[in-house]
Amino acid sequence: MVFYLICIGLALLASLLYWGVKNKPKFKNHNVILIILILVSIMEVAGYYTARRSINNSLLYNIGWVYAESLLLIFYFYSFQLSKGEKKVIRWLTILIFSWGLCNSLFYQDITFTFQYFSFLPFAIFIVVLAMCFLYKILTLKIYAERNLLEVPHFWIVTTILFFYIEAIILFGTYQFFPEIVVSNVKLLFGFNRFIASLMYLSFGFSFLVPLIKFQHHSKSIS
């Protein structure tokens, strides 16, 4: 858990470093990523504090992860150059999923004591679909065709989002329907979950620095 918190802290520092640089290559949506890292840092520190004191922190993660982070990630994808039709579909599906989540919170799964898998699942599936569509556009050269793929921060960010959310759907789905399997392997499974999450958040912070280094080197060469 401490390693996980360190990774999030490093990612946040890297993102703040990029945010503070004046002359830098322009990449859209860095501010959204920075806000997500700030949210995650606060949430995970609070989660660590409450877990150490055996305090139920389901409400924290339901609000912070299931709802707030999901909505921020959807906005992250929404903010790219999409057609009006694509943006309209995203808006309506987000409203529908959020409305379902509220119904689940009010009438089925208690938001204060239970991880709301049935609210999380449609959000996660939607994020996976958005990630796959984004990667398809990159790989078919519909976006960022003029850039080196390895120097596009959003390629790494979206790839790790895709892997993490697929893993999270499987892990928390197994815990929802076959809890004995997860409980008997809790350290291994949740350790792997935090490892994938660490890679995702590290990509959030450091993927913007790679093109920055290239950009600074190119600027010095020209001068």
Side-chain angles (χ1 to χ4, degrees):
M1 184 65 181
V2 175
F3 172 78
Y4 177 53
L5 293 175
I6 291 173
C7 288
I8 293 173
L10 289 173
L12 178 58
L13 287 175
S15 190
L16 287 170
L17 176 62
Y18 179 85
W19 180 74
V21 175
K22 292 183 179 180
N23 297 320
K24 57 191 174 187
K26 301 298 181 182
F27 286 101
K28 198 171 185 179
N29 292 340
H30 173 259
N31 288 342
V32 180
I33 293 298
L34 178 58
I35 292 171
I36 292 173
L37 287 172
I38 293 171
L39 168 68
V40 170
S41 298
I42 295 172
M43 179 176 64
E44 292 296 352
V45 169
Y48 179 73
Y49 176 84
T50 53
R52 294 274 291 181
R53 285 156 181 75
S54 300
I55 300 171
N56 188 307
N57 51 27
S58 295
L59 179 63
L60 171 69
Y61 283 99
N62 283 327
I63 293 176
W65 185 40
V66 173
Y67 287 100
E69 188 173 347
S70 295
L71 291 172
L72 283 169
L73 284 174
I74 292 171
F75 180 72
Y76 165 74
F77 288 107
Y78 180 85
S79 300
F80 286 106
Q81 293 179 348
L82 302 174
S83 68
K84 291 183 179 179
E86 289 173 321
K87 288 196 170 187
K88 184 177 180 180
V89 170
I90 292 175
R91 286 197 300 269
W92 279 109
L93 283 177
T94 302
I95 292 171
L96 181 63
I97 293 170
F98 184 76
S99 300
W100 157 248
L102 290 180
C103 290
N104 183 51
S105 300
L106 292 172
F107 303 114
Y108 186 53
Q109 292 183 304
D110 190 340
I111 194 172
T112 59
F113 291 105
T114 305
F115 174 72
Q116 296 193 305
Y117 181 73
F118 296 117
S119 296
F120 165 76
L121 181 60
F123 273 123
I125 292 174
F126 191 31
I127 290 168
V128 166
V129 171
L130 290 173
M132 292 176 68
C133 291
F134 183 85
L135 290 175
Y136 174 78
K137 288 183 178 181
I138 285 185
L139 296 176
T140 56
L141 303 180
K142 292 182 179 179
I143 54 176
Y144 298 116
E146 74 287 356
R147 291 183 180 268
N148 182 342
L149 182 63
L150 300 181
E151 295 177 15
V152 177
H154 301 299
F155 170 74
W156 299 107
I157 290 171
V158 175
T159 299
T160 54
I161 287 174
L162 179 63
F163 280 110
F164 172 74
Y165 272 87
I166 289 174
E167 178 270 336
I169 289 170
I170 296 172
L171 173 61
F172 289 99
T174 304
Y175 185 65
Q176 179 69 38
F177 298 106
F178 308 100
E180 64 281 355
I181 297 176
V182 176
V183 171
S184 60
N185 300 279
V186 64
K187 288 186 178 181
L188 175 64
L189 294 176
F190 279 94
F192 182 71
N193 173 260
R194 290 196 185 101
F195 173 73
I196 298 297
S198 298
L199 291 179
M200 180 179 71
Y201 293 127
L202 285 172
S203 76
F204 281 19
F206 284 93
S207 59
F208 287 97
L209 295 182
V210 174
L212 176 61
I213 295 170
K214 294 279 186 179
F215 180 79
Q216 295 292 348
H217 177 74
H218 180 67
S219 299
K220 289 179 181 179
S221 298
I222 292 175
S223 61

